């Protein structure tokens, strides 16, 4: 059994939110209900909506502070506002529609205090329209080459706990220049992989309520953000399958928009890797043989995205 330090590190938990009052209350309650015996400071950042000061809680070991996003509007700016307002040795993220299981922090901090990688993630339990799917990544899935090839969604941002020193130096803050903040978590995970990698708790410690994302059908933003990521990260161009996956996602988004560029993009994806299914799904949508909504709903029922 891992010996715990004499003084447990303070943990800042950043929850960015926008007009989801009941969900954010449930997310906060799950954070406050952690079995972790150290101090937890929950920083709730309202992005583009009026902060609800009734959420605030004052206490020595558990507190909730309400902030307005002081940086660029969007999820990335809101997360950075919370990060920079805190001072805890460890920083954790939680989406406003997700729920932490009670022993999440206790198990992850126990790994982080042993040294090694600066970031810890866990598996998740995905809930969508009454269905439940447990997703736990294998350690090798978190290696950079596999992360960019597969976008390991099991390593969800709501499972992240990271040392503040690494977050503010080798990894860096959340990128606020990404169009619409779409995929900001993936971009951050790539940088975390490059900056020492991950501890992993091989258990589902977060309940992800799937399908309510503001991004899942914002097709123009998705396409623009994919272009941004391709320009930013050379690693995507070093692996044909990683490139094919992103081009396939872009083609699907363009097809959903009925954009004539969808089919050429799908062809580029298939040429990069004939094994990329999104290329063929995008072609089906572009040819009006099936709707993007129908395919997306089918993926969500399986606890997946496109």
């Amino acid at each position: 059994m891992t010996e715990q330090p004499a003084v447990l590190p303070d943990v800042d938990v950043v929850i960015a939110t926008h007009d989801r009052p009941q969900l954010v209350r449930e997310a906060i309650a799950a954070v406050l209900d952690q079995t972790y015996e150290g101090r937890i400071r929950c920083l709730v950042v309202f992005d583009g909506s009026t902060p609800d000061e009734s959420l605030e809680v004052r206490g020595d070991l558990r507190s909730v502070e309400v902030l307005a996003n002081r940086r660029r509007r969007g999820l990335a700016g809101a997360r950075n506002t919370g990060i920079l307002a805190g001072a805890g040795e460890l920083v954790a993220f939680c989406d406003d529609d997700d729920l932490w299981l009670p022993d999440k922090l206790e198990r992850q901090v126990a790994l982080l205090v042993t040294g090694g990688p600066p970031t810890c993630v866990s598996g998740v339990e995905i809930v969508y329209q009454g269905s439940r799917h447990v997703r736990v990544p294998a350690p090798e899935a978190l290696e950079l080459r596999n992360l960019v090839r597969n976008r390991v969604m099991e390593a969800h941002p709501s499972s992240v706990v990271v040392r503040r020193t690494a977050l503010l130096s080798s990894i860096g803050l959340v990128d606020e220049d990404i169009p619409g903040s779409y995929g900001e978590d993936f971009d951050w995970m790539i940088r975390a992989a490059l900056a020492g990698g991950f501890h992993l708790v091989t258990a589902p410690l977060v309940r992800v309520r799937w399908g309510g994302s503001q991004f899942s059908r914002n097709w123009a933003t998705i396409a623009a953000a994919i272009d941004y990521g391709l320009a930013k990260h050379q690693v995507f161009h070093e692996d044909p399958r990683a490139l094919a996956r992103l081009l396939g996602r872009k083609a699907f988004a363009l097809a959903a928009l009925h954009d004539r560029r969808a089919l050429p993009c799908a062809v580029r994806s298939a040429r990069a890797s004939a094994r990329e299914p999104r290329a063929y799904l995008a072609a089906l949508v572009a040819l009006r043989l099936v709707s993007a909504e129908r395919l997306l709903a089918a993926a969500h029922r399986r606890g997946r995205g496109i």
Side-chain angles (χ1 to χ4, degrees):
M1 186 172 185
T2 303
E3 184 177 348
Q4 294 294 320
V7 179
L8 289 167
D10 290 353
V11 182
D12 292 333
V13 182
V14 178
I15 301 179
T17 189
H18 176 79
D19 287 340
R20 298 208 272 199
Q22 182 57 37
L23 290 175
V24 76
R25 284 182 179 274
E26 293 170 5
I28 293 168
V31 169
L32 298 182
D33 197 36
Q34 291 292 295
T35 59
Y36 181 61
E37 294 182 354
R39 183 170 185 261
I40 300 175
R41 181 186 183 194
C42 188
L43 298 147
V44 183
V45 184
F46 282 76
D47 178 46
S49 57
T50 302
D52 181 0
E53 295 183 358
S54 72
L55 298 174
E56 293 199 340
V57 174
R58 301 297 178 186
D60 292 333
L61 288 179
R62 298 289 186 270
S63 64
V64 179
E65 298 175 38
V66 171
L67 306 168
N69 182 6
R70 303 185 186 97
R71 298 173 67 89
R72 179 175 294 187
R73 183 167 179 175
L75 181 56
R79 280 200 172 133
N80 287 339
T81 292
I83 292 166
L84 295 173
E89 181 180 340
L90 301 177
V91 180
F93 304 131
C94 183
D95 287 351
D96 64 356
D97 55 348
D98 294 339
L99 299 171
W100 284 4
L101 274 62
D103 60 345
K104 175 187 184 293
L105 275 186
E106 181 180 357
R107 297 179 68 174
Q108 291 186 287
V109 174
L111 290 178
L112 284 166
V113 297
T114 65
T119 306
C120 185
V121 296
S122 75
V124 297
E125 174 188 289
I126 297 171
V127 178
Y128 177 74
Q129 293 185 350
S131 64
R132 174 180 175 273
H133 305 273
V134 171
R135 307 286 191 215
V136 178
E140 58 270 19
L142 299 175
E143 296 173 4
L144 180 63
R145 61 188 178 88
N146 292 321
L147 191 66
V148 298
R149 177 177 287 186
N150 300 310
R151 176 51 183 106
V152 183
M153 52 75 57
E154 292 88 344
H156 193 276
S158 290
S159 80
V160 166
V161 185
V162 59
R163 296 191 193 102
R164 177 176 292 276
T165 52
L167 175 56
L168 297 181
S169 58
S170 56
I171 301 174
L173 292 172
V174 185
D175 187 345
E176 298 178 29
D177 290 330
I178 298 173
S181 289
Y182 177 79
E184 44 74 38
D185 54 332
F186 185 31
D187 171 87
W188 191 90
M189 287 286 190
I190 291 171
R191 290 185 278 132
L194 288 165
F198 307 91
H199 283 291
L200 170 64
V201 179
T202 55
L205 300 182
V206 180
R207 183 168 295 124
V208 175
R209 294 187 276 196
W210 197 263
S213 170
Q214 60 180 308
F215 297 124
S216 62
R217 294 169 176 80
N218 196 341
W219 304 115
T221 298
I222 290 171
I226 289 171
D227 282 342
Y228 180 92
L230 287 170
K232 179 177 180 178
H233 294 291
Q234 179 60 31
V235 68
F236 290 127
H237 301 274
E238 296 169 355
D239 184 330
R241 287 179 60 186
L243 180 61
R245 186 183 67 80
L246 282 187
L247 289 174
R249 296 191 70 222
K250 179 183 175 182
F252 190 90
L254 292 174
L257 290 168
H258 306 301
D259 189 308
R260 67 181 64 184
R261 295 173 296 170
L263 272 178
C265 191
V267 170
R268 286 182 62 203
S269 173
R271 284 177 176 169
S273 174
R275 298 167 59 185
E276 176 48 58
R278 293 168 188 81
Y280 307 106
L281 294 178
L284 290 174
V285 174
L287 294 170
R288 310 289 180 95
L289 298 176
V290 65
S291 72
E293 289 292 326
R294 182 176 178 182
L295 291 176
L296 188 63
H300 283 173
R301 284 193 295 273
R302 296 173 55 239
R304 300 287 185 184
I306 293 292

